[in-house]
Amino acid sequence: MPGSSALDVLTEDLLVRVREKIGDELDSKTWRLVCKEFSRVDSVTRTTLRVLRVEFLFILLDKYPNIKTLDLSVCPRVNDRTVSFLLSQHSLSWTRSLKSLILSRSTGLRYRGLSLGDTEAEVFNFYIFFPLITNYWTKVFVLDILEGLEMLARACPFLESVDLSYCCGFGDREAAALSFASGLKEVKLDKCLNVTDVGLAKIAVRCVNLERLSLKWCMEISDLGIDLLCKKCLDLKSLDVSYLKLTNDSFCSIAPLAKLESLVMVGCPCVDDTGLRFLESGCPLLKTIFVSRCKFVSSTGLISVIRGHSGLLQLDAGHCFSELSTTLLHHMRDLKNLEAITMDGARISDSCFQTISFNCKSLVEIGLSKCLGVTNTGITQLVSGCVNLKTIDLTCCHSITDDAISAIADSCRGLVCLKIESCNMITEKGLYQLGSFCLRLEEIDLTDCNGVNDKGLEYLSRCSELLFLKLGLCENISDKGLFNIASNCLRIQGLDLYKCSGIGDDGLAALSNGCKKLKKLNLSYCVNVTDRGMEHIGSMEDLSDLELRGLTKITSAGLTALAAGCKRLADLDLKHCAKIDDSGFWALAYYSQNLRQINLSYCALSDMALCMVMGNMTRLQDAKLVHLTNCTREGFELALRSCCMRIKKVKLLAPIRFLLSSEILETLHAAGCKIRWD
């Protein structure tokens, strides 16, 4: 038919299937812009939503009614009021499909909502972001009846997963409100320092279907809370109690959990071998156990676990004992299905590697960071039997040479990740072997490997699947070596060139032409980089994390070019960039609206520029503002006032503490902002 399009023959079902195949964020955006029908299909099929600005939350939830995962972790102003007013809207279809909610690092989620006693300033700030709701007294009344978190828990009947990690205001009353989501199967409360046994008890009693729980750094949780949890939540499959001051009694409580598959107890200072003995005859389905940095756990305790769980898949015992004993090795023979083992910090002999090689044929990951006694012979013996290894960590194994790397490359052709930081005897010969045989390599850490040179990078560039490359402190590489990486490793997303003094503008030009997908770049103390290099970086549209610390040759012109081009920049470090003046920071404030973290310490910006940066960057959550010698007390005061409703962390020089008004300090504290005094 004249005027018809080829797209007209595509049914909605076909369009949905095509849309489901698109994973990249930029490709998804391009899809939505093709035509109205593509945009409509995107609206009904999208299941994940990550919101950056709270004022767009209503519109987005109305546009995407079928989302299953809502991520508000980078939304700076989410609080009880936001949630309460969100749920007072007419369209709540999204609540019936929502299964996962991410609220980590939210500072405004408290038990208390807006009430009649709040100041007029609080009400005014609230109205700025929610102009659609006109009846003030109705708002206050609704918020007084039900708090935001409890309303959210009640409104989402199919909610299964909630992440509240690092929410500094989350305590027992908030845990009680969360517990109204009785269908929860997964809860993350990492570093919720105000949660005690009382709050945990509320969750345990009401959320009996809980399967995965993380309590890392919840320092007020004790044996009592863990005991009640284990009696009520019998379906627990994964439990993380890292850094809690639990005693052996807690592991007596954990042992009867018949469905537990993963137990993480990193850095538990009060647990010893007796606690692990309780697990020997318990937790029959246990597949993963992490006991690293438990200073009173020895090989005897691990043997108890191994005796009762020959089906273990993952064992992390890093920094637990000084030497891998022959008795432990003898019992490791039973771990025929072991896939990953970490023994960081232990002394290991060549015979140990021979035993592991012979018995653990299924091993795909091994961690030997800072282990003593690791030799070329030992590694050769290891890889001769464990040919399926995909991840090998040899960080600070200083005796390793090219011979060990050659053995790895020859035996482990499917290698994906290799960490050899501070292995100074690795040269271009070892990298030649990797480039010849390990063509699936995606990540390699060569930090402080002084034997690495441009020729070595040429060989390494044959690994065209490389995604992450660390070359920090490699003094013998230059733009020539970086050119080879940029020409062949087109998929690379992360590159660390910390203190690579041989890297300059020409290398960055090659990088900008070849590595279009680069997201994270560290150029700190690459002292030969100038404004021309910044212009090249400005063409990397996907760049989100950039470290430029100590680049004394870049000026405002370079920063302006960078900011104008890198619109996705979220984390920027400009510490000690002394030649950038106010014009550069004004450009940054204008262009870089997506910045969430910034380091301006030791920079030469004025009061006006500081206020522009802190006020204009509406998504900024973390700022380091130390030794700003051109800024006055008034400048700091105004800058902090301009962002006090959304900033979460700020670092300031200690003497300023006594110059700032008590009002601004109290306001920041009330908003949940953490101030670090340097």
Side-chain angles (χ1 to χ4, degrees):
M1 175 181 276
S4 64
S5 168
L7 296 177
D8 294 338
V9 301
L10 296 177
T11 65
E12 181 172 330
D13 181 59
L14 285 174
L15 289 175
V16 169
R17 292 172 66 181
V18 172
R19 176 61 185 88
E20 289 174 348
K21 298 291 183 181
I22 301 175
D24 184 77
E25 186 178 345
L26 281 178
D27 292 340
S28 298
K29 184 177 181 179
T30 304
W31 163 277
R32 293 195 295 272
L33 296 175
V34 170
C35 62
K36 290 183 178 179
E37 181 63 13
F38 278 27
S39 179
R40 187 189 67 79
V41 169
D42 179 73
S43 296
V44 298
T45 58
R46 185 163 185 166
T47 59
T48 300
L49 183 62
R50 189 168 187 250
V51 182
L52 299 179
R53 300 180 67 171
V54 70
E55 50 264 45
F56 298 139
L57 189 54
F58 293 145
I59 299 172
L60 290 171
L61 288 176
D62 190 50
K63 183 178 180 180
Y64 301 109
N66 298 318
I67 59 164
K68 295 182 179 179
T69 300
L70 177 59
D71 186 350
L72 299 175
S73 61
V74 294
C75 204
R77 289 185 296 268
V78 173
N79 52 34
D80 283 342
R81 307 166 199 175
T82 312
V83 174
S84 297
F85 278 83
L86 182 63
L87 294 174
S88 69
Q89 301 304 292
H90 65 280
S91 177
L92 295 176
S93 58
W94 60 273
T95 61
R96 291 184 285 276
S97 62
L98 192 66
K99 290 188 175 181
S100 177
L101 180 62
I102 303 173
L103 292 167
S104 59
R105 299 186 186 278
S106 297
T107 56
L109 282 171
R110 308 288 176 87
Y111 182 77
R112 184 187 68 85
L114 183 64
S115 69
L116 294 174
D118 280 327
T119 66
E120 300 225 353
E122 288 178 293
V123 176
F124 174 75
N125 286 328
F126 181 71
Y127 263 77
I128 290 175
F129 303 111
F130 298 98
L132 298 178
I133 304 173
T134 57
N135 191 320
Y136 164 71
W137 298 110
T138 300
K139 295 178 188 179
V140 175
F141 180 71
V142 170
L143 286 167
D144 266 347
I145 293 174
L146 284 175
E147 306 303 340
L149 194 57
E150 182 179 333
M151 287 181 69
L152 189 60
R154 290 178 183 272
C156 301
F158 302 108
L159 193 62
E160 295 181 354
S161 175
V162 174
D163 184 353
L164 287 156
S165 301
Y166 301 96
C167 290
C168 61
F170 192 89
D172 289 341
R173 293 198 292 181
E174 288 75 20
L178 178 65
S179 70
F180 283 101
S182 57
L184 282 175
K185 294 183 178 180
E186 179 178 16
V187 176
K188 292 183 179 179
L189 299 176
D190 297 352
K191 218 163 188 179
C192 290
L193 301 179
N194 296 322
V195 176
T196 71
D197 292 333
V198 175
L200 181 59
K202 290 287 187 181
I203 294 174
V205 169
R206 286 178 175 161
C207 304
V208 294
N209 297 319
L210 209 58
E211 295 180 359
R212 295 173 294 278
L213 178 63
S214 181
L215 299 169
K216 186 187 300 182
W217 286 111
C218 293
M219 304 301 292
E220 298 300 320
I221 302 293
S222 71
D223 294 336
L224 183 63
I226 297 298
D227 182 58
L228 180 60
L229 172 72
C230 296
K231 287 178 179 177
K232 294 294 182 180
C233 300
L234 301 180
D235 291 334
L236 272 176
K237 295 180 180 179
S238 176
L239 180 61
D240 189 341
V241 293
S242 297
Y243 305 104
L244 271 60
K245 296 178 181 179
L246 304 178
T247 70
N248 295 328
D249 292 342
S250 283
F251 296 89
C252 180
S253 302
I254 291 171
L257 292 174
K259 297 182 181 180
L260 194 68
E261 297 176 1
S262 174
L263 177 60
V264 182
M265 44 179 289
V266 175
C268 290
C270 304
V271 179
D272 57 26
D273 294 337
T274 303
L276 293 186
R277 287 196 195 100
F278 288 123
L279 301 178
E280 181 176 353
S281 57
C283 303
L285 298 182
L286 194 64
K287 302 295 182 185
T288 299
I289 185 165
F290 283 52
V291 295
S292 59
R293 300 189 183 278
C294 292
K295 58 183 179 180
F296 293 118
V297 169
S298 70
S299 56
T300 303
L302 287 177
I303 290 170
S304 299
V305 175
I306 293 171
R307 274 201 301 253
H309 305 90
S310 59
L312 274 179
L313 299 179
Q314 190 170 5
L315 174 62
D316 186 338
H319 303 284
C320 273
F321 38 79
S322 58
E323 187 170 1
L324 193 61
S325 69
T326 54
T327 309
L328 178 58
L329 279 170
H330 174 77
H331 285 86
M332 283 180 61
R333 294 176 181 177
D334 298 329
L335 301 179
K336 301 296 183 184
N337 299 319
L338 192 66
E339 295 179 356
I341 185 170
T342 301
M343 298 174 289
D344 297 346
R347 177 176 290 279
I348 305 177
S349 65
D350 292 343
S351 60
C352 295
F353 288 117
Q354 189 172 11
T355 302
I356 295 172
S357 174
F358 184 77
N359 294 288
C360 303
K361 301 290 186 181
S362 300
L363 212 59
V364 296
E365 180 178 345
I366 188 165
L368 302 168
S369 174
K370 298 181 181 179
C371 284
L372 301 177
V374 179
T375 66
N376 292 336
T377 302
I379 294 300
T380 302
Q381 290 175 338
L382 172 70
V383 299
S384 65
C386 301
V387 296
N388 296 316
L389 278 169
K390 295 181 183 293
T391 299
I392 302 175
D393 187 352
L394 297 172
T395 299
C396 295
C397 293
H398 302 296
S399 299
I400 293 299
T401 71
D402 292 328
D403 291 340
I405 302 302
S406 297
I408 291 172
D410 186 53
S411 298
C412 306
R413 302 292 177 95
L415 191 68
V416 173
C417 175
L418 179 62
K419 298 180 180 180
I420 45 178
E421 177 183 347
S422 297
C423 295
N424 287 313
M425 290 190 279
I426 306 298
T427 70
E428 62 194 65
K429 294 179 181 178
L431 298 184
Y432 173 81
Q433 296 297 321
L434 290 174
S436 300
F437 300 112
C438 298
L439 301 182
R440 298 180 186 175
L441 194 66
E442 295 181 0
E443 179 179 354
I444 185 167
D445 188 348
L446 295 167
T447 303
D448 201 20
C449 292
N450 291 321
V452 174
N453 56 21
D454 289 339
K455 195 66 176 177
L457 293 186
E458 180 184 344
Y459 295 140
L460 185 64
S461 68
R462 297 172 185 171
C463 301
S464 58
E465 300 297 307
L466 207 60
L467 296 176
F468 302 98
L469 173 61
K470 290 188 175 183
L471 296 168
L473 299 170
C474 290
E475 300 175 351
N476 297 315
I477 64 171
S478 68
D479 291 339
K480 182 180 178 181
L482 192 56
F483 176 82
N484 286 310
I485 294 294
S487 300
N488 298 305
C489 303
L490 306 183
R491 298 181 62 217
I492 201 161
Q493 296 179 16
L495 178 61
D496 187 349
L497 298 169
Y498 176 79
K499 283 193 176 181
C500 292
S501 55
I503 299 297
D505 297 336
D506 292 338
L508 297 181
L511 202 62
S512 65
N513 289 327
C515 302
K516 299 292 186 181
K517 296 185 177 181
L518 196 66
K519 295 180 179 179
K520 186 173 183 177
L521 177 63
N522 187 351
L523 292 172
S524 294
Y525 303 105
C526 293
V527 293
N528 291 318
V529 173
T530 70
D531 287 342
R532 187 164 67 88
M534 293 299 101
E535 293 174 5
H536 294 308
I537 293 176
S539 66
M540 300 179 185
E541 295 181 354
D542 282 1
L543 199 64
S544 62
D545 189 329
L546 180 61
E547 295 187 47
L548 302 175
R549 184 177 298 196
L551 299 194
T552 56
K553 293 183 179 180
I554 64 172
T555 68
S556 294
L559 183 58
T560 301
L562 169 70
C566 299
K567 298 293 181 60
R568 292 173 175 264
L569 210 57
D571 193 338
L572 179 62
D573 190 341
L574 293 171
K575 185 177 180 179
H576 285 297
C577 292
K579 289 190 177 180
I580 300 174
D581 60 24
D582 281 0
S583 62
F585 292 110
W586 290 339
L588 186 68
Y590 178 78
Y591 290 113
S592 299
Q593 295 296 311
N594 288 319
L595 268 178
R596 295 194 297 273
Q597 296 186 54
I598 193 167
N599 189 348
L600 299 176
S601 299
Y602 295 90
C603 286
L605 72 170
S606 68
D607 287 345
M608 181 68 74
L610 180 61
C611 291
M612 284 282 290
V613 169
M614 300 299 286
N616 270 29
M617 294 179 181
T618 55
R619 299 175 190 174
L620 192 66
Q621 299 180 29
D622 188 340
K624 295 179 177 65
L625 309 173
V626 175
H627 289 288
L628 303 184
T629 54
N630 292 346
C631 293
T632 66
R633 180 193 68 81
E634 290 78 10
F636 278 107
E637 188 97 14
L638 288 172
L640 292 172
R641 285 184 184 279
S642 68
C643 64
C644 63
M645 298 303 295
R646 51 181 160 76
I647 198 78
K648 294 182 179 180
K649 291 174 67 178
V650 63
K651 183 178 180 182
L652 300 168
L653 203 61
I656 296 178
R657 182 174 194 170
F658 305 102
L659 300 177
L660 295 174
S661 68
S662 58
E663 180 190 352
I664 187 60
L665 295 177
E666 290 170 3
T667 301
L668 289 168
H669 178 73
C673 177
K674 292 185 177 180
I675 304 177
R676 178 182 170 188
W677 303 103
D678 189 53

